[in-house]
């Protein structure tokens, strides 16, 4: 049985097709859904967690259809949404206990055992009895994971679990996620963090305007590119590029190109810069990363930033 | 279904741990009572006895409409989405909210009853108070279910606040809270006769006189059932299942 199975899964809002004919087969792995703002990640997760009904197509979680057997689906999943929602006037322990109760664990000793286990796994023991109000963002995120774990789900959905966290907190979350996979949980995670996806996801799908345009293991996707050239210049780019050189995007003020053989082609590329009268400060040839693949696939202009900001700001205002 | 109690537990703790909330929910109605009961000109034998049912119902109304803003918070802050993905029955979210809000309203009513007695209202036999609580409970359930339903339709706090203001004051003044039905101008009377507040208030007054207000009770029961049906239907329709 496939843990997550979708067939032509689609969702349209009034005038936008947010998710377009998604076919997923996910089993016993960490699957990362990558995509710019507004590409349909949250919409996909919402359909898979029975929060939103698909416009067409179907999806099964652990063999249960999300539309016809939503209750059975909810029994085998846990879901941590994109925007954090822990009760700040409850302590960490109370927050977890609350979910354990809602998951239907009525036996007190069993519940206590599960709550302690979840606190342990997420390293929250020391602060367990403090109000969540006093937790940092990273701790609140771990608390949400702990809530999701009291249930011992078969499939765990995480919508951007590391957004807004510092490097160490992010690493910690991902280590936890990896450990969960080892204990047999299938994990469906969305993220913007390419480095993290490359490092921790077994497979990734790149979503653009609701369509998965690339899917596979990070190394398989990277094998599509031989090498990457980055050039830092005084800003412009030559109009004519040598054959076999593709423009991918901009990254930290450098222009990024892909080529079959970067080291050989670099001199001719720099020559084009010289001919165009553009001053090259530095150049580099390196192996491709998932981020390069991502930039190449979705294009740098794809981010729906305005939408993202509005939603973010509204949250911040509401919480404060 | 027992899981609604878990939601009640959560709301109670959240409420208890915000001292200002507790203070304002308990002090506000007391203030109304003292102002309206003592300051208003008196042409009744005991205006306090006349006006207390009105204050009780007003308090219950304001408090119960709070169910809507509470579910709006859960909705806009993402709690609701988390709850909806849980295996526990979704209706328990709704029932939990209505139960918590109604109990909180009854708590406020108790404060009002105690203060009214302290400042000179008549003391009734226990059975009268039981009857009053039953009626207030019915009214509280209807209004909190109504508030919840409306909040499920709307998508932000501002619109809900507008609804709240739009509904509560007119309903209150077009009811028998401050003057009795036969003293009202005719136009107002038409509204008052269909106003659930009138039924709740007159029902309370009947109970105080030792009469069982069968009609008011039936009216409120039917209202409560009707709104609960619409509410749970709406609740189901915002998501699957
Ligand atoms: N409730 C809604 N009504 C109308 N359109 C919506 C709604 N929710 C999302 N959309 C649209 O659907 C598209 C996909 O949105 P979605 O939230 O799934 O993107 P996302 O990939 O999660 O983005 P982000 O990275 O910003 O979280 C966007 O164009 C968005 O504007
Ligand atoms: Mg999203």
């Amino acid at each position: 049985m496939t843990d997550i199975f979708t067939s032509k899964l689609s969702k349209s809002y009034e005038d936008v097709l947010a998710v377009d004919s998604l076919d997923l087969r996910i089993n016993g792995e960490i699957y990362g859904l990558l995509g710019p703002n507004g590409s349909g990640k949250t919409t996909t997760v919402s359909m898979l967690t029975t929060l939103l009904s698909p416009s067409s197509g179907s999806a099964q979680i652990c063999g249960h259809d999300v539309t016809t057997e939503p209750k059975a689906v909810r029994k085998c999943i846990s879901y941590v949404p994109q925007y954090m929602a822990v009760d700040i006037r409850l302590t960490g322990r109370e927050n977890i206990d609350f979910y354990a109760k809602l998951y239907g664990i009525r036996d007190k000793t069993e519940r206590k055992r599960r709550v302690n286990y979840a606190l342990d796994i997420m390293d929250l023991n020391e602060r367990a009895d403090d109000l969540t109000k006093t937790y940092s963002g990273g701790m609140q995120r771990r608390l949400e994971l702990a809530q999701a774990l009291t249930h011992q789900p078969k499939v765990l959905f995480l919508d951007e679990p590391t957004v807004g966290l510092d490097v160490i907190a992010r690493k910690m979350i991902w280590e936890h996620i990896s450990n969960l996979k080892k204990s047999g949980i299938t994990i469906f995670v969305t993220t913007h963090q390419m480095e993290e996806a490359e490092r921790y996801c077994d497979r990734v799908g790149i979503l653009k305007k609701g369509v998965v345009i690339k899917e596979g293991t990070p190394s398989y996707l990277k094998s599509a590119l031989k090498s990457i050239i980055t050039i830092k210049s005084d800003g412009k780019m030559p109009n004519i590029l040598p054959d076999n050189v593709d423009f991918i995007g901009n990254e930290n003020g450098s222009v990024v190109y892909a080529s079959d053989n970067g080291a050989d082609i670099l001199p001719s590329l720099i020559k084009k810069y010289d001919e165009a009268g553009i001053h090259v400060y530095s150049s580099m040839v390196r192996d491709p990363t998932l981020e390069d693949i991502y930039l190449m696939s979705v294009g740098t202009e794809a981010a729906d930033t305005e939408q993202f900001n509005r939603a973010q700001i509204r949250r911040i205002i509401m919480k404060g | 279904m027992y899981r609604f109690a878990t939601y009640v537990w959560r709301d109670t703790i959240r409420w208890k741990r915000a001292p200002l909330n507790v203070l304002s929910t308990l002090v506000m109605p007391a203030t109304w009572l003292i102002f309206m009961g003592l300051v208003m000109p008196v042409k009744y034998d005991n205006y306090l006895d006349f006006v207390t049912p009105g204050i009780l119902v007003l308090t219950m109304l304001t408090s119960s409409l709070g169910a809507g803003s509470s579910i709006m918070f859960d909705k806009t802050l993402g709690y609701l989405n988390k709850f909806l993905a849980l295996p526990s029955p979704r209706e328990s979210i709704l029932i939990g909210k209505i139960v918590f809000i109604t109990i909180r309203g009854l708590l406020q009513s108790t404060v009002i009853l105690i203060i009214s007695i302290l400042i000179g209202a008549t003391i009734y036999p226990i059975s009268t108070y039981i009857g009053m609580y039953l009626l207030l409970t019915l009214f509280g359930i209807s209004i909190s279910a109504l508030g919840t339903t409306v909040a499920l339709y709307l998508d932000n706090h501002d619109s809900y606040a507008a609804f709240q203001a739009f509904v509560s004051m007119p309903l209150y003044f077009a009811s028998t809270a401050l003057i009795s039905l036969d003293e009202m101008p005719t136009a107002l009377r038409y509204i008052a006769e269909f106003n659930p507040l009138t039924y709740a208030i007159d029902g309370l007054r009947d109970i105080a006189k030792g009469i069982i207000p069968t009609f008011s009770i039936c009216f409120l029961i039917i209202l409560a059932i009707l709104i609960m049906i619409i509410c749970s239907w709406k609740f189901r329709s915002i998501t699957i299942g």
Side-chain angles (χ1 to χ4, degrees), chain A residues 79-91 95-96 98-99 102 132-133 137 139-145 147-148 159-160 315 319, chain B residues 10 14 73-83 86:
Chain A
Y79 164 56
V80 180
Q82 179 169 3
Y83 299 101
M84 276 191 247
V86 293
D87 278 305
I88 55 166
R89 291 202 201 109
L90 267 55
T91 66
N95 261 298
I96 301 176
F98 173 50
Y99 274 76
L102 292 176
T132 321
K133 194 158 54 176
M139 291 174 72
Q140 292 191 7
R141 244 329 177 199
R142 277 183 298 166
L143 181 62
E144 289 208 295
L145 280 171
Q147 288 179 324
D159 199 353
E160 302 197 24
R315 297 276 155 179
K319 293 238 172 181
Chain B
R10 165 200 183 234
R14 280 156 47 107
F73 262 107
D74 286 349
K75 193 161 88 168
T76 50
L77 295 183
Y79 297 109
L80 189 59
N81 260 354
K82 276 173 84 170
F83 298 157
L86 295 175

Side-chain angles (χ1 to χ4, degrees), chain A residues 13 16 18 35-43 82 160 192 304 307-308:
Chain A
Y13 298 106
V16 235
N37 295 139
S39 55
K41 302 184 295 298
T42 299
T43 306
Q82 179 169 3
E160 302 197 24
H192 289 292
D304 185 1
Q307 202 113 29
F308 172 72

Side-chain angles (χ1 to χ4, degrees), chain A residues 49-54 66-67 70-71 74-75 77 79 81 84-91 94 98-99 101-104 106 131 144 147 151 315 318-319, chain B residues 2-3 6-7 9-10 13-15 17-18 21 73-92 157 236 238-241:
Chain A
T49 51
T50 76
L51 297 177
L52 200 64
S53 41
V66 293
T67 350
K71 286 204 177 107
R74 282 178 224 136
K75 280 207 174 94
I77 63 164
Y79 164 56
M84 276 191 247
V86 293
D87 278 305
I88 55 166
R89 291 202 201 109
L90 267 55
T91 66
E94 286 168 341
F98 173 50
Y99 274 76
K101 282 181 188 157
L102 292 176
Y103 282 125
R106 298 180 82 168
L131 290 187
E144 289 208 295
Q147 288 179 324
H151 173 40
R315 297 276 155 179
M318 304 280 342
K319 293 238 172 181
Chain B
Y2 67 94
R3 282 176 204 144
T6 309
Y7 289 108
W9 171 84
R10 165 200 183 234
I13 293 200
R14 280 156 47 107
W15 181 67
R17 292 209 181 136
N21 279 356
F73 262 107
D74 286 349
K75 193 161 88 168
T76 50
L77 295 183
Y79 297 109
L80 189 59
N81 260 354
K82 276 173 84 170
F83 298 157
L84 290 174
L86 295 175
S88 64
R90 289 178 164 182
E91 287 76 17
S92 52
H157 283 282
R236 272 164 197 274
I238 55 167
T239 48
I240 341 166

Side-chain angles (χ1 to χ4, degrees), chain A residues 156-184:
Chain A
L156 176 60
F157 290 92
L158 304 170
D159 199 353
E160 302 197 24
T162 59
V163 71
L165 303 186
D166 73 24
V167 189
I168 297 164
R170 288 212 299 259
K171 189 161 181 307
M172 201 156 168
I173 296 270
W174 277 109
E175 298 291 340
H176 288 311
I177 295 174
S178 297
N179 286 334
L180 292 176
K181 189 198 92 177
K182 285 184 200 122
S183 72

